[in-house]
Amino acid sequence: MSRKTGDAKVAGVQASTLEQDIVDARRVLGQRNLVFVGLMGAGKSAIGRLVSQMLEIPFVDSDHEIERVSRMTIAELFEAYGEPEFRALETRVITRLMKTGPRVLSTGGGAFMNEATRSRVLKSGLSVWLKADLDILWARVSKRDTRPLLKTANPKQTLSDLLDQRYPVYALSDITVQSRDDVKETIAAEAIAAIARLAGDQDEMQKP
């Protein structure tokens, strides 16, 4: 038994079901990138990395790629250049990453809010929104003081405001998967199953 199948079985997912979902998800994805979107703390990198392992395609985190090409941390970029300049750089990096695939791409919380980035993702990729409740997000992000947007007098309220502003836009994604306090393998398997279900839609569209 493969490691990815064994992990999923431990997480309560039938191995045979997951194996078929992986086959179908790969067919749905083709040469496109699978793009995870959502608020900070939703688990985009952790779940995205697991999904990439299950699908056996590369994984890249857009924030890490931004830090690599700029040789600065996200916090340093925000402090030195402000959010507008950071978003412009983010758009350029994601646009470049979207040109080749397939791969799993984890994006920063604000990336999908940019109209140009969102258009590129929706046109040439397959987007997955990891949706999480406020309390889940806060429990995760409050453990580290590294989020530039939360350096406010009331960071939890700021996070709540971001949720209200961004969730209607995230809802434009192709797929929504609930992020919660569960084992990561289960949520990753659910994401793959959601992608696999699109195979049936593709088959129906191809019928004469």
Side-chain angles (χ1 to χ4, degrees):
M1 180 179 293
S2 69
R3 181 178 180 274
K4 61 176 178 290
T5 301
D7 286 346
K9 190 173 182 180
V10 169
V13 179
Q14 291 295 323
S16 59
T17 300
L18 177 60
E19 287 174 350
Q20 185 59 53
D21 284 345
I22 288 171
V23 171
D24 291 340
R26 284 177 180 155
R27 180 158 61 93
V28 168
L29 195 59
Q31 295 301 307
R32 294 181 294 174
N33 285 307
L34 181 64
V35 184
F36 280 87
V37 305
L39 266 182
M40 60 186 82
K44 301 182 296 294
S45 293
I47 301 304
R49 189 173 283 106
L50 271 175
V51 169
S52 78
Q53 292 170 2
M54 292 177 177
L55 296 180
E56 297 182 341
I57 59 177
F59 170 81
V60 61
D61 183 306
S62 66
D63 279 351
H64 292 168
E65 183 66 9
I66 290 167
E67 291 181 335
R68 186 186 70 81
V69 299
S70 67
R71 298 183 181 180
M72 299 174 69
T73 67
I74 301 300
E76 289 169 345
L77 287 166
F78 264 81
E79 184 175 354
Y81 301 109
E83 186 174 1
E85 286 297 319
F86 170 77
R87 296 301 175 197
L89 173 60
E90 180 179 58
T91 296
R92 292 195 298 272
V93 168
I94 292 176
T95 297
R96 173 174 58 79
L97 292 173
M98 291 294 295
K99 290 180 179 178
T100 56
R103 72 176 106 201
V104 175
L105 174 60
S106 168
T107 63
F112 202 65
M113 300 301 294
N114 180 283
E115 185 175 357
T117 302
R118 183 170 64 252
S119 177
R120 167 72 70 171
V121 170
L122 293 175
K123 182 178 180 180
S124 61
L126 185 66
S127 51
V128 179
W129 174 24
L130 280 183
K131 182 180 181 181
D133 296 335
L134 176 62
D135 288 342
I136 294 290
L137 296 171
W138 177 246
R140 294 172 179 174
V141 302
S142 61
K143 295 175 181 178
R144 294 188 300 167
D145 184 25
T146 59
R147 309 282 184 171
L149 293 180
L150 296 185
K151 293 186 181 299
T152 63
N154 189 340
K156 186 174 183 180
Q157 183 59 52
T158 301
L159 183 62
S160 178
D161 293 342
L162 287 171
L163 186 149
D164 292 338
Q165 295 163 12
R166 294 180 175 181
Y167 273 25
V169 179
Y170 292 155
L172 299 173
S173 298
D174 299 301
I175 295 168
T176 299
V177 174
Q178 191 70 33
S179 180
R180 59 196 184 276
D181 279 340
D182 204 336
V183 292
K184 292 180 291 186
E185 288 80 6
T186 294
I187 297 172
E190 288 175 358
I192 290 175
I195 300 164
R197 284 194 291 271
L198 297 179
D201 297 338
Q202 286 187 354
D203 292 341
E204 284 296 321
M205 292 175 63
Q206 291 171 3
K207 286 182 180 179

